[in-house]
Amino acid sequence: MTPQRLKTLQEDGDAIVVLDQTRLPSEAVFQRLDSLESVANAIINMQVRGAPLIGATAAYGVAIGLADDATDARLAYVIETLAATRPTAVNLQWALRRMDAEIRQLEVTRSVGLIQPTRCAGANQCFAKPLLCRCCEAWKVASRIAAEDEAANAAIGNHGLKLLLDLQTLARPIQIMTHCNAGRLATVAHGTALAPVYAAHEAGIAVHVWVSETRPRNQGLLTAWELAEAGIPHTLIADNAAGLLMMQGRVDVVLVGADRIAANGDTANKIGTYLKALAAKAHGVRFYVAAPLSTFDFRCENGAEIPIEERAANELHAGGISVANPAFDITPAHLISGFISERGVLAAGDLLQWKT
Ligand code: MRU
């Protein structure tokens, strides 16, 4: 599917290498993360961002954090540290719960053939081989989480492509509006909201993407960067231009990602998503949310239960002014035409079918 020119996340021995998203689009710089603290800081500072990528990075953070000490106490500390990095994207908690469940069951001292080397050098190089070490197992689970994200997003691309085909006309390329960056940069590969766009482009279907700037952090520039990399036509707009474009009939569909989807379909995504959904409803434009199942939180009944991250005032202004900076908003389910996951497309009222 998506040509992978610069990978967002790669294993490198007992560390990971990530593409530093705070340096894009001006320069592509990689950063090696080899300690629990460096992984936690990369998530907090948004060098790594986007719900699925945060989840996969945190999973590797667990493996990295267990290198010298894989006891239950250390595992609990590592998970607590990573869980505190960002509150809204549920993929983080999802990945940490899964790491905890799969690693905790491997007892450090009592299992036959299970040892804790002085320092684990990563799943492929650990001298404990062929015996198991708990840290090596953590690397394997993290690798599986990353691979599953890639596969889920590829499937989202195929399901979303069918929706886009329904909108195809001879008159013009399909006009897609997106918000924030829910592309390959926000995931291990392919993206979520942009996965159907990539699939359409690769199938030779003409598309054009309206890229919303996404104040205050300008993730729209990341979207523009990766669409340019893939050769997909796109136009950057100020966030507040979205309503006018929809009123003028210049948008066929809105495709966004999600940071957490409650059981009733209320969806947390980057601040500004709600206003796009309202405008889409007012102008009869279809509005879809694309996300892997790791973003669905059936423990939250509705959007009111989703924690909204409040970020630093200096993201908006250098100082001296009172600032509120909520990083996400909640789009109520009734504004959403459908949800695209690796399992297909469903309306909000049917989402419980995906609760496994
Ligand atoms: O604050 P960010 O940049 O991590 O927020 C990202 C978003 O809101 C994305 O739209 C969402 O995570 C979906 S990413 C596939």
Side-chain angles (χ1 to χ4, degrees), residues 21 46 48-54 86 89 91 153 179-183 186-187 191-193 217 219 222 256-259 268-271 273 290-292 295 309 311 327-328:
Q21 302 201 21
M46 294 176 63
V48 167
R49 47 147 298 281
L53 187 61
I54 291 170
R86 294 195 73 188
N91 307 61
N153 299 333
H179 188 59
C180 192
N181 172 262
T187 64
T192 58
R217 301 246 350 169
Q219 287 93 333
L222 301 175
V256 297
D259 289 83
N269 192 47
K270 181 53 56 190
I271 192 81
T273 305
T295 307
E309 178 178 10
R311 290 191 63 89
F328 300 94

Side-chain angles (χ1 to χ4, degrees), residues 153-290:
N153 299 333
I156 286 172
N158 292 330
H159 295 304
L161 173 60
K162 292 179 201 134
L163 296 175
L164 291 183
L165 287 174
D166 288 342
L167 298 168
Q168 206 181 8
T169 66
L170 290 177
R172 63 179 189 187
I174 305 170
Q175 300 294 310
I176 300 157
M177 180 175 283
T178 192
H179 188 59
C180 192
N181 172 262
R184 76 171 193 86
L185 288 173
T187 64
V188 176
H190 308 306
T192 58
L194 292 191
V197 176
Y198 286 123
H201 180 68
E202 281 155 29
I205 294 155
V207 292
H208 167 264
V209 185
W210 295 107
V211 177
S212 179
E213 190 182 30
T214 315
R215 282 281 292 151
R217 301 246 350 169
N218 291 320
Q219 287 93 333
L221 296 182
L222 301 175
T223 297
W225 183 84
E226 65 165 89
L227 289 174
E229 180 191 49
I232 297 177
H234 59 280
T235 305
L236 185 70
I237 56 165
D239 294 349
N240 290 337
L244 177 71
L245 291 172
M246 289 192 225
M247 177 188 269
Q248 292 174 332
R250 296 165 75 188
V251 181
D252 298 322
V253 62
V254 181
L255 279 179
V256 297
D259 289 83
R260 191 184 300 225
I261 301 167
N264 73 341
D266 290 352
T267 294
N269 192 47
K270 181 53 56 190
I271 192 81
T273 305
Y274 173 42
L275 288 178
K276 284 192 171 54
L278 283 171
K281 189 69 157 188
H283 298 294
V285 175
R286 299 187 74 73
F287 183 99
Y288 288 101
V289 172

Side-chain angles (χ1 to χ4, degrees), residues 106 122 172 245 271 298 301 333 343:
L106 302 166
R172 63 179 189 187
L245 291 172
I271 192 81
F298 292 103
E301 260 180 50
R343 304 258 305 262

Side-chain angles (χ1 to χ4, degrees), residues 53-125:
L53 187 61
I54 291 170
T57 305
Y60 281 112
V62 173
I64 291 167
L66 295 181
D68 296 314
D69 173 3
T71 56
D72 278 354
R74 174 69 182 172
L75 178 61
Y77 173 77
V78 165
I79 286 180
E80 193 185 325
T81 302
L82 291 164
T85 53
R86 294 195 73 188
T88 304
V90 76
N91 307 61
L92 175 69
Q93 278 84 35
W94 171 86
L96 294 176
R97 266 201 306 274
R98 183 158 160 198
M99 293 299 289
D100 190 44
E102 297 206 29
I103 303 310
R104 198 171 286 280
Q105 65 181 2
L106 302 166
E107 296 197 27
V108 179
T109 50
R110 275 180 285 150
S111 303
V112 176
L114 186 68
I115 65 160
Q116 167 69 38
T118 322
R119 179 172 173 86
C120 172
N124 298 319
Q125 296 164 39

